[in-house]
Amino acid sequence: MIENENPIISDSLWSATANPAPLCPLLTGEAETGTAVIGGGYTGLSAALHLAEAGHPVTLLEAEGPGWGASGRNGGQVNPGLKDDPDAIEARFGADAGGRMVQMSGRAGQLVFDLIRRHGIQCDAVETGWIRAAHTLRARAALHHTARQWQRRGADVAPLDAGEIAALIGTDAYCGGLIDRRGGNLHPLNYALGLAGAAQRAGAVLHGHSRALHLENTGDGYRITTAKGSLRADRVLLCTNGYTDGLAPPLARTVVPVRSVQVATAPLPEEVLDTILPGRQAPSDSRRLLLYFRRDAQGRFIMGGRGAYSDTGTRRQMAALRQASDQLFPQLRGVEWQFEWGGYIAVTADHYPHLTRLDTGLLAGLGYNGRGVAMATAMGKVMADWAMGHREDALAFPITPVRPIPLHRARRIGVAATVAGYRLLDRLGL
Ligand SMILES: Cc1cc2nc3c(=O)[nH]c(=O)nc-3n(C[C@H](O)[C@H](O)[C@H](O)COP(=O)(O)OP(=O)(O)OC[C@H]3O[C@@H](n4cnc5c(N)ncnc54)[C@H](O)[C@@H]3O)c2cc1C
């Protein structure tokens, strides 16, 4: 179970610039539905929206409000694909399942932008592409290899040399990389709130401040208990990612929650903005502890990276992000930094998202390893397909067995040690 968010870092740029949230009343008394969705981030909201659009009864329970978790706090980068390259995915999962995963993850960005257009979601979405920036020659070679693999599959992805990436980003800190034109960026909380509104309009019932406290198999379905009510459902979709609690053990032991943090400036003067990301792409770099950055619609510069478990450590990381920004863009020195915040991502042992069936009618989708704007949206759609009775072996993402991480209790020590090792390797440029 995650400790309460520190209020100092939960007041984000996104909540300060959010559209009005749709009303999601508390669950009270006894209710009944076909599919219950637990968790109101992109995974759960996309599942609820796709089910409701297909005319299936669906009720979503969210412990706080829609987008309260990572979906309302992230960098808003719409990143197609998975962490592994397409060839590696197909080699690992086979041509059939692997091929479906490559297709589903490659098209995930398009799904996001299509939903935004179809439902008129106001979230400053721009389809300008996603830049992956190489900090070493070895990383550049790997990214060029990635770009060629996608090109072979007909995707609009191109390798970048040092001059091209410098022109796109506005710094000569990177020696090349790639641009994936299927990606872009958006206001993450407004995207989540927009999905919630669209799901409601399509007929989904959304309850806020209704944490699922207890889940039982009643033989003819499931009963979920909250503080003020209970919900009977034929099947349940668990969509709690980095905020997974003890509701359905052993799910919490299949992921490690890791904090990611961001800092944002005040809106920048035009002459500074002209020199940073003039095409409004959102890059992530190739460091193991990667930096990801972008501008927002009001002309703020936002930098993100790995947080720490302690608040002191997290504050240190936020200071380091401001420093890294000044190094990349010296024109930022002395500007006002207006926001700092963070949230939890869910890391898996194999760095793949997991679609896991815990019981006949109980499916979980989680573990986006910090890359969930597009993937969680796409996973929610796959979960809706499963709930509507699509054949399991034909789903766009394979169902894999539950795999609790050994020694999960020691995860913080493991993560801290890995982070320290990665920091050293990044510093050495290896
Ligand atoms: C700081 C940060 C930056 C990131 N940047 C990017 C990025 O730029 N691009 C990208 O692709 N990804 C990014 N990510 C990752 C991305 O945000 C996540 O992968 C994605 O939002 C996961 O969506 P989700 O719906 O699965 O989970 P979440 O959005 O985390 O939602 C889970 C929800 O479950 C609810 N919940 C938990 N337990 C219960 C319960 N028992 N009952 C009811 N509700 C419950 C929680 O309240 C929460 O709202 C970032 C993440 C963070 C934290």
Side-chain angles (χ1 to χ4, degrees):
M1 175 104 160
I2 298 282
E3 72 273 30
N4 282 335
E5 279 291 302
N6 180 334
I8 309 169
I9 62 163
S10 58
D11 189 12
S12 75
L13 160 62
W14 309 126
S15 53
T17 54
N19 297 330
L23 273 181
C24 299
L26 206 68
L27 174 70
T28 53
E30 296 200 355
E32 208 169 313
T33 188
T35 302
V37 177
I38 316 278
Y42 303 139
T43 310
L45 292 167
S46 164
L49 171 58
H50 284 100
L51 279 164
E53 280 195 304
H56 284 252
V58 53
T59 298
L60 181 148
L61 301 179
E62 161 55 45
E64 303 288 337
W68 178 87
S71 298
R73 302 158 189 260
N74 63 67
Q77 295 199 358
V78 182
N79 305 338
L82 296 166
K83 293 238 161 158
D84 273 352
D85 283 341
D87 287 357
I89 297 169
E90 286 173 7
R92 183 177 176 138
F93 292 88
D96 179 31
R100 276 181 277 140
M101 288 164 80
V102 168
Q103 216 176 62
M104 177 262 214
S105 61
R107 290 182 182 164
Q110 217 43 59
L111 173 68
V112 170
F113 293 118
D114 285 349
L115 286 172
I116 290 169
R117 265 190 294 272
R118 190 145 57 83
H119 296 284
I121 297 175
Q122 301 299 312
C123 61
D124 304 322
V126 288
E127 293 182 65
T128 45
W130 172 38
I131 293 173
R132 298 180 66 185
H135 74 298
T136 61
L137 291 174
R138 198 200 299 187
R140 182 176 72 184
L143 286 171
H144 285 188
H145 188 53
T146 306
R148 282 192 294 273
Q149 291 181 37
W150 280 116
Q151 282 178 333
R152 274 206 319 272
R153 290 165 174 83
D156 194 358
V157 180
L160 297 172
D161 64 23
E164 288 166 326
I165 204 159
L168 283 168
I169 302 185
T171 171
D172 56 9
Y174 297 106
C175 57
L178 65 76
I179 180 159
D180 188 332
R181 295 200 184 84
R182 301 167 299 176
N185 59 82
L186 45 71
H187 184 304
L189 179 54
N190 283 341
Y191 172 51
L193 296 175
L195 286 178
Q200 283 180 329
R201 284 193 298 279
V205 178
L206 269 54
H207 292 291
H209 299 286
S210 301
R211 178 178 290 279
L213 297 171
H214 185 68
L215 170 67
E216 74 178 298
N217 182 333
T218 53
D220 61 345
Y222 295 85
R223 179 170 301 283
I224 303 152
T225 315
T226 65
K228 301 276 187 213
S230 76
L231 177 65
R232 207 212 73 79
D234 297 332
R235 65 199 76 76
V236 181
L237 303 179
L238 294 167
C239 309
T240 48
N241 205 46
Y243 294 84
T244 299
D245 57 16
L247 182 69
L251 196 60
R253 284 188 286 126
T254 66
V255 289
V256 175
V258 170
R259 200 180 244 169
S260 186
V261 294
Q262 289 174 90
V263 292
T265 66
L268 296 168
E270 222 40 66
E271 63 274 16
V272 176
L273 274 181
D274 287 346
T275 62
I276 300 174
L277 296 166
R280 290 202 50 197
Q281 287 89 4
S284 328
D285 75 17
S286 55
R287 290 180 175 84
R288 286 175 185 79
L289 298 180
L290 65 86
L291 295 174
Y292 54 95
F293 46 97
R294 57 171 291 188
R295 295 162 43 170
D296 77 350
Q298 289 78 40
R300 295 178 184 86
F301 176 78
I302 307 163
M303 173 63 85
R306 179 62 64 86
Y309 279 117
S310 72
D311 286 340
T312 322
T314 295
R315 291 218 166 283
R316 248 199 318 270
Q317 292 307 328
M318 288 166 162
L321 291 178
R322 287 187 281 266
Q323 211 176 11
S325 307
D326 287 355
Q327 272 163 11
L328 281 180
F329 303 105
Q331 60 272 46
L332 289 178
R333 282 186 195 140
V335 302
E336 181 196 347
W337 289 89
Q338 212 176 8
F339 295 96
E340 53 182 31
W341 72 97
Y344 285 98
I345 63 170
V347 172
T348 55
D350 59 6
H351 297 289
Y352 279 89
H354 293 164
L355 186 63
T356 296
R357 192 154 57 67
L358 299 164
D359 191 15
T360 328
L362 185 57
L363 186 75
L366 76 176
Y368 307 106
N369 293 279
R371 226 196 249 185
V373 176
M375 261 313 284
T377 306
M379 191 68 99
K381 183 171 187 296
V382 175
M383 295 174 82
D385 286 343
W386 175 86
M388 290 188 277
H390 288 212
R391 266 181 42 204
E392 285 193 355
D393 60 3
L395 292 174
F397 198 90
I399 294 185
T400 45
V402 190
R403 277 191 299 258
I405 296 172
L407 300 176
H408 190 261
R409 276 173 178 282
R411 66 189 193 273
R412 287 187 176 210
I413 300 165
V415 170
T418 308
V419 166
Y422 280 176
R423 192 163 290 129
L424 182 65
L425 291 171
D426 283 341
R427 245 184 239 141
L428 296 172
L430 294 172

